[in-house]
Amino acid sequence: MLSNKILTRRNSIDIKLPWFLQKDSQHIYTTGSYISLDFETTNLEYGSALNLDNHIVLACWIVVTPDGETKKYKFGDEYEMQELLDDIKKVKFVLAHNAKFEAQWLKRCGVDLTEVLLYDTMLGQWVLDGNIKTEKNLDALALRYLGVGKKQGLVARWIQAGICPSKIPRKLLLPYCGLDVDLCTGLFKIQVKLLEERDQLHIVHTRNLTCSVLADIEFNGMQLDADAVLQEFKKTSAEKESALHKLTTMADGVNFNSPKQLGILLYETLGFEELRDRKGKPLRTPAGGRSTGADTLLQLKATTLDQTIFLETYRQFSKADSLLSKNLSFFQGVCEEKEGRFYGQFNQAITATHRLSSSGRPLLFSGEKKTKSTQFQNMPREYKRLFTASGDDYLVVEADGAQLEFRVAADLCRDSVARQEIIDEVDVHSFTAKAMTDAGEPTSRQDAKRMTFKPLFGGQSGTKAEKAYIKFFTEKYDSIAKEQKSWTYKVLNDKQLRTRYGMIYFWPNARNDNGYVTDTTSIYNFPIQGFATAEIIPIALVHLWHRVKHLRCKLLNTIHDSVVGDVHKDDVQEYKEAVKEALTTDVFRFLSELYDYDFVVPLGVGIKTARNWGTGKQEEVWNVFPSGEETYKLKE
């Protein structure tokens, strides 16, 4: 159910944002004073500041001002770094390689990260490399840009062997740490010139701003609902055991861990056809055996009743087994031994599109020989409900950028049809369902969702009805189709594409293959996904972090196009207003003032609030226009 749409003029929230979120602030990297910093720490979990048993051993830094450079150092822990903290207050930004590490130690030293601007040479190189995968550690980049080889000295070998820096003689550790600072400083000076020449300082600025937020979020962790986890664990364990019992009964003693026995069951007893390649040859193992892996079993086609029953049962077993091994066993261990709270980390400088990825901090549970972990971002959607607010007076508030990638595509390609449908809040999934139904494949709105934006990302194949829909999509959104096609021609000629917002992606091996440009899927995808989830969502995340620092709340997670917060019930309304501002008005302004990009399509925000993540029965949805007007709906 939807409430009536209301068009109003929104009022901007009067919160003073820091100078480094203002117009042209990205140019500070070429003119401002800074500190180049490196910490040596104790080595639990690679020296992570998130492990409270770790401590700082040594800090080395260079203060760089128009008057020159001053080198300093301090042996001591996080409570003995006052000179460093005083110096940070005198400069415009802090330079480091993999700066999230240093930022988290600065937080342990008592620094308010909302008041500090970082520059990360690892992230700078990520921008310069675009989607090309290269080594981005400091040693590799020093060799690449400064001609200095990797450190092979005694201290490096000791640290690589696991010796704690706290045990290394000071007279040896000091030059080792000081060299890192020198290398980072030299790399920065070269890197920032390249970024300025390519007009990409605004891109790396967004990466740096996001780095500070992620450094803070990782301290917060996420809270599991122990009762909900136990219930889900028991239910899924029972489903696994039931499916396994059915399989073993059907298999009559076959050892499922034996590829030979499983192969006989699949291809002789049950009579499945082997999977084949495009030339019709059976897909076999490297040794020539019949394939019996889990991926293969999930792709087999049933033609008899026995085959159908076997595959349905195996899929039930495989799904339950996967959920237990990847998520539920870990969740259960966290609830039993860690009071239900666990922590993850966000990974930058990894993905080709420049969106974030994540990984979990590994935990060793009682009776286990190996650590377990689960990442923050790619957990099953149905398990969001297993996470809860931090206390009785708190609620989980999830905010999504509504249809963000479609809106970005409409804006990048200046498609008037798509723009008008976004303004009119047209249900595009219903159009998809109708197009596929008219083409002879009756499809519900829910089932149509998987196809709606497939053409947007280069999808060209499928059933007869799916191909008909793809043709319908490209004809309907003609400007999007033409613009994306022009991207492929540009890449074919130049082997790279500079997007309208300044990011550069590279396809050095793109070629014309009988009328089809290789890499078309990624050429269609990267500019859109990159703008949406590597620029707009980080910009929104950064602004939200600054806007709510005075509230009783913590940011818990960000997943592609969403931000999750733990908010005191009395601050929820003000938090929601800040979310709207950050995901819309702040994005419009920041893109205009730093990216020289004026958005013309409305941006959408959907907010759900509940005790457990994602369980709210209502969703508040806003459509906010660059002009400042907005519409509101309440979806139930």
Side-chain angles (χ1 to χ4, degrees):
M1 177 181 176
L2 297 177
S3 69
N4 292 329
K5 182 172 73 171
I6 303 171
L7 184 65
T8 60
R9 183 78 182 180
R10 69 177 286 107
N11 294 316
S12 182
I13 301 173
D14 186 20
I15 295 288
K16 183 174 177 58
L17 295 171
W19 67 267
F20 44 75
L21 293 182
Q22 305 302 328
K23 184 176 182 179
D24 296 331
S25 54
Q26 72 270 28
H27 296 295
I28 195 64
Y29 302 124
T30 64
T31 59
S33 57
Y34 60 93
I35 280 177
S36 183
L37 173 65
D38 185 64
F39 287 122
E40 296 297 333
T41 70
T42 53
N43 63 350
L44 299 174
E45 292 187 71
Y46 302 100
S48 171
L50 302 178
N51 188 322
L52 299 184
D53 291 327
N54 276 327
H55 300 283
I56 294 173
V57 176
L58 167 65
C60 287
W61 68 98
I62 303 175
V63 182
V64 182
T65 69
D67 297 327
E69 300 182 3
T70 304
K71 293 187 177 183
K72 297 185 178 184
Y73 70 90
K74 175 66 178 180
F75 282 99
D77 63 20
E78 52 272 27
Y79 302 103
E80 301 175 86
M81 295 293 157
Q82 190 59 51
E83 184 180 4
L84 169 63
L85 305 190
D86 291 341
D87 283 344
I88 288 175
K89 292 179 180 179
K90 299 174 184 176
V91 298
K92 290 295 186 180
F93 61 95
V94 175
L95 166 68
H97 192 81
N98 189 17
K100 180 154 66 73
F101 179 90
E102 268 70 29
Q104 289 177 330
W105 277 110
L106 289 175
K107 182 178 174 71
R108 287 272 301 268
C109 291
V111 172
D112 180 353
L113 293 182
T114 64
E115 298 177 355
V116 177
L117 174 63
L118 301 174
Y119 182 98
D120 187 339
T121 44
M122 180 181 72
L123 302 182
Q125 193 59 44
W126 191 22
V127 172
L128 288 170
D129 288 341
N131 54 312
I132 303 299
K133 189 173 183 178
T134 68
E135 283 192 86
K136 295 179 178 65
N137 62 74
L138 182 58
D139 290 333
L141 294 180
L143 181 61
R144 179 174 172 181
Y145 287 102
L146 304 172
V148 179
K150 289 187 176 182
K151 295 177 290 185
Q152 296 296 332
L154 181 62
V155 174
R157 293 197 296 271
W158 280 346
I159 290 177
Q160 290 168 6
I163 295 176
C164 183
S166 64
K167 304 298 183 183
I168 296 174
R170 289 185 171 189
K171 65 179 181 180
L172 299 180
L173 188 63
L174 179 58
Y176 174 85
C177 184
L179 178 59
D180 273 351
V181 178
D182 289 338
L183 294 178
C184 185
T185 307
L187 173 62
F188 164 76
K189 292 176 179 178
I190 295 173
Q191 197 177 82
V192 77
K193 289 180 180 179
L194 294 174
L195 289 163
E196 185 178 30
E197 290 171 1
R198 287 170 44 166
D199 191 19
Q200 288 191 303
L201 286 173
H202 60 292
I203 301 287
V204 76
H205 190 46
T206 295
R207 304 291 181 275
N208 291 331
L209 293 169
T210 308
C211 183
S212 302
V213 186
L214 301 179
D216 185 60
I217 292 177
E218 288 182 2
F219 277 96
N220 297 331
M222 297 190 71
Q223 183 68 42
L224 287 161
D225 183 331
D227 291 338
V229 168
L230 179 59
Q231 183 179 355
E232 189 68 21
F233 181 84
K234 288 180 176 179
K235 179 178 78 71
T236 306
S237 296
E239 291 172 351
K240 175 184 174 180
E241 290 303 316
S242 175
L244 181 59
H245 177 72
K246 291 179 183 178
L247 287 174
T248 53
T249 301
M250 295 170 63
D252 193 22
V254 169
N255 180 2
F256 277 77
N257 292 320
S258 168
K260 182 177 181 180
Q261 292 185 38
L262 185 54
I264 293 172
L265 172 68
L266 293 173
Y267 303 113
E268 297 179 21
T269 306
L270 292 172
F272 280 105
E273 287 288 332
E274 290 186 72
L275 299 179
R276 298 179 180 274
D277 62 20
R278 292 182 178 180
K279 295 181 179 180
K281 295 182 179 180
L283 295 173
R284 297 287 180 91
T285 66
R290 291 179 292 194
S291 180
T292 59
D295 289 343
T296 297
L297 267 68
L298 294 174
Q299 294 180 65
L300 293 176
K301 302 297 182 182
T303 58
T304 69
L305 180 59
D306 284 346
Q307 290 176 354
T308 300
I309 295 173
F310 177 85
L311 284 185
E312 287 179 352
T313 306
Y314 180 79
R315 285 170 180 145
Q316 291 170 3
F317 168 79
S318 179
K319 179 180 179 181
D321 182 61
S322 177
L323 291 173
L324 285 164
S325 63
K326 292 182 179 179
N327 300 106
L328 289 174
S329 294
F330 178 81
F331 291 166
Q332 183 69 0
V334 170
C335 290
E336 291 177 347
E337 300 184 22
K338 305 295 180 181
E339 299 182 339
R341 181 168 290 272
F342 75 97
Y343 302 81
Q345 65 182 39
F346 296 96
N347 304 317
Q348 299 172 291
I350 299 293
T351 67
T353 58
H354 280 234
R355 65 162 49 177
L356 296 171
S357 64
S358 71
S359 54
R361 289 178 61 200
L363 297 174
L364 183 64
F365 299 119
S366 299
E368 300 281 352
K369 294 182 178 180
K370 293 183 178 180
T371 59
K372 292 181 178 179
S373 68
T374 190
Q375 58 171 292
F376 268 22
Q377 293 186 315
N378 289 333
M379 67 184 72
R381 291 181 63 86
E382 63 265 30
Y383 284 175
K384 293 198 301 185
R385 62 183 173 79
L386 302 182
F387 293 86
T388 188
S390 61
D392 293 339
D393 291 333
Y394 283 76
L395 295 169
V396 177
V397 182
E398 179 181 20
D400 292 301
Q403 285 185 332
L404 183 58
E405 290 181 343
F406 182 53
R407 293 169 190 256
V408 162
D411 203 276
L412 276 175
C413 304
R414 292 301 195 255
D415 192 294
S416 59
V417 174
R419 179 175 181 270
Q420 192 59 50
E421 287 188 349
I422 292 166
I423 292 172
D424 294 339
E425 300 180 32
V426 170
D427 182 1
V428 293
H429 300 305
S430 295
F431 277 105
T432 310
K434 184 178 185 305
M436 293 185 66
T437 300
D438 291 345
E441 188 176 310
T443 305
S444 68
R445 179 188 179 278
Q446 183 63 32
D447 291 339
K449 286 184 176 182
R450 66 177 180 83
M451 273 299 299
T452 296
F453 299 123
K454 182 178 179 179
L456 193 63
F457 302 115
Q460 299 180 8
S461 60
T463 64
K464 181 180 178 181
E466 289 172 346
K467 289 180 179 178
Y469 169 70
I470 291 170
K471 183 174 183 292
F472 165 81
F473 183 97
T474 54
E475 290 176 350
K476 181 181 182 182
Y477 305 117
D478 179 64
S479 294
I480 292 177
K482 287 181 178 178
E483 180 71 10
Q484 289 185 304
K485 196 70 174 177
S486 75
W487 295 346
T488 65
Y489 295 143
K490 183 72 172 175
V491 170
L492 189 61
N493 289 327
D494 301 340
K495 310 304 180 188
Q496 67 180 49
L497 176 69
R498 183 183 180 92
T499 66
R500 290 185 177 180
Y501 55 92
M503 187 63 194
I504 303 175
Y505 294 107
F506 303 90
W507 289 272
N509 299 314
R511 67 184 189 282
N512 189 329
D513 186 4
N514 295 321
Y516 174 79
V517 178
T518 59
D519 300 306
T520 289
T521 300
S522 57
I523 295 169
Y524 275 34
N525 178 25
F526 286 7
I528 294 171
Q529 190 182 98
F531 197 18
T533 58
E535 310 299 334
I536 289 176
I537 289 299
I539 290 168
L541 176 69
V542 168
H543 282 80
L544 177 62
W545 186 56
H546 285 281
R547 285 191 175 279
V548 300
K549 61 182 292 186
H550 65 289
L551 300 180
R552 290 166 290 181
C553 68
K554 291 181 180 179
L555 300 186
L556 302 178
N557 204 345
T558 176
I559 304 177
H560 305 322
D561 62 354
S562 68
V563 180
V564 185
D566 182 47
V567 188
H568 192 279
K569 62 183 181 180
D570 293 337
D571 290 343
V572 165
Q573 188 56 43
E574 189 174 350
Y575 180 88
K576 289 193 294 186
E577 289 295 327
V579 165
K580 283 192 296 175
E581 192 84 6
L583 267 73
T584 59
T585 305
D586 285 332
V587 171
F588 293 141
R589 179 196 61 79
F590 195 86
L591 289 177
S592 179
E593 294 183 354
L594 282 84
Y595 283 60
D596 194 25
Y597 184 101
D598 293 320
F599 224 81
V600 298
V601 171
L603 286 173
V605 183
I607 299 178
K608 284 187 176 182
T609 304
R611 174 70 182 158
N612 282 32
W613 182 12
T615 59
K617 295 181 179 179
Q618 296 180 332
E619 182 181 20
E620 297 178 88
V621 182
W622 290 265
N623 230 20
V624 180
F625 293 71
S627 63
E629 292 180 319
E630 68 176 32
T631 64
Y632 172 81
K633 284 184 178 181
L634 183 64
K635 296 172 65 175
E636 297 182 338

